[in-house]
Amino acid sequence: MNATPHSHRLLLAAALALSAGSVQAAQTTGSQPIEKADPAAIQPDTDVPPPQPISDEVIGQEYDAYRQSVKGQKMYTVSYILLSDETEARQWIARLRSGASFEKAAREHSRHPLSAKEGGKLGTFATCRWARDTVQLLDTLKPGQIYAKPVKASAGWGIYRLDAVKALEPISYAQYKEQLLSATFKPECPWVPPVTVGVPREP
């Protein structure tokens, strides 16, 4: 069946109407331009309160906890030589106990680099910093004495000399408060006070 000129005009009018409707819909439903945020309109967060000074009462409680953490502790000053062979370690113990220089032997023969460059000196540490078996052997010595047997270590055999030992005396309350508030407090034993350090001082 052939279309008449009249039907052609009707079809064309319908197509134009549909096209116009699509354009209008696209214009009304399209994305709107996004407005840029005004930096001046952004308000700072005012809900976070400023840090509060630590009261003397709280510091006193923490000082009591610190004193309890070091109760009964000793401070051991120790020198050390690490050798790879047990027989060699035994030979060196005999020489050292007969008067050979511990410092010279440590510098020249120890396999523990940190203490070797200091002539064998490990430093001074509280009981809590040493292994339990090390504390037990140190407690058998008097200052200046060398332990009679080499001690097995992960990297060889160790020779221990006790240089000094004394009871650990806690620092004073004034020292504790000063160090706590200046964030310089370094406990002798692994212990961290629950209060936050470095807060503003009380006026």
Side-chain angles (χ1 to χ4, degrees):
M1 179 178 178
N2 295 328
T4 64
H6 178 69
S7 63
H8 279 298
R9 287 195 295 272
L10 290 176
L11 290 172
L12 180 60
L16 290 173
L18 288 172
S19 176
S22 298
V23 171
Q24 183 178 6
Q27 290 175 343
T28 56
T29 60
S31 299
Q32 298 297 321
I34 299 175
E35 296 182 1
K36 294 183 179 180
D38 181 5
I42 300 176
Q43 299 296 324
D45 188 356
T46 57
D47 295 333
V48 179
Q52 298 298 315
I54 302 175
S55 68
D56 285 340
E57 180 181 2
V58 171
I59 295 177
Q61 293 172 354
E62 299 311 324
Y63 179 67
D64 290 340
Y66 156 70
R67 286 178 58 88
Q68 189 63 31
S69 75
V70 300
K71 186 177 181 180
Q73 296 281 313
K74 297 178 183 178
M75 297 295 287
Y76 297 90
T77 303
V78 177
S79 291
Y80 181 72
I81 295 175
L82 179 65
L83 300 170
S84 57
D85 182 74
E86 181 182 6
T87 300
E88 181 187 14
R90 289 184 180 277
Q91 292 172 348
W92 268 109
I93 288 175
R95 296 174 194 168
L96 295 169
R97 298 184 84 180
S98 296
S101 171
F102 195 101
E103 289 73 14
K104 186 174 185 293
R107 288 192 177 94
E108 296 179 358
H109 301 284
S110 180
R111 298 170 59 86
H112 189 263
L114 293 179
S115 62
K117 65 181 182 180
E118 301 296 334
K121 295 185 183 301
L122 280 177
T124 302
F125 301 97
T127 307
C128 55
R129 300 285 185 177
W130 299 97
R132 182 176 299 178
D133 55 351
T134 303
V135 171
Q136 291 175 348
L137 75 85
L138 292 175
D139 282 340
T140 67
L141 302 175
K142 295 180 179 180
Q145 288 185 334
I146 297 170
Y147 192 60
K149 297 182 293 184
V151 179
K152 186 70 176 72
S154 59
W157 295 84
I159 300 173
Y160 284 87
R161 184 183 72 186
L162 178 65
D163 296 329
V165 60
K166 63 179 181 179
L168 195 167
E169 295 293 338
I171 59 177
S172 68
Y173 172 80
Q175 291 173 314
Y176 177 82
K177 181 178 180 180
E178 172 67 24
Q179 293 177 20
L180 183 70
L181 296 180
S182 62
T184 59
F185 175 62
K186 296 180 180 180
E188 294 87 350
C189 291
W191 175 79
V192 178
V195 296
T196 303
V197 299
V199 298
R201 296 171 179 271
E202 290 182 310

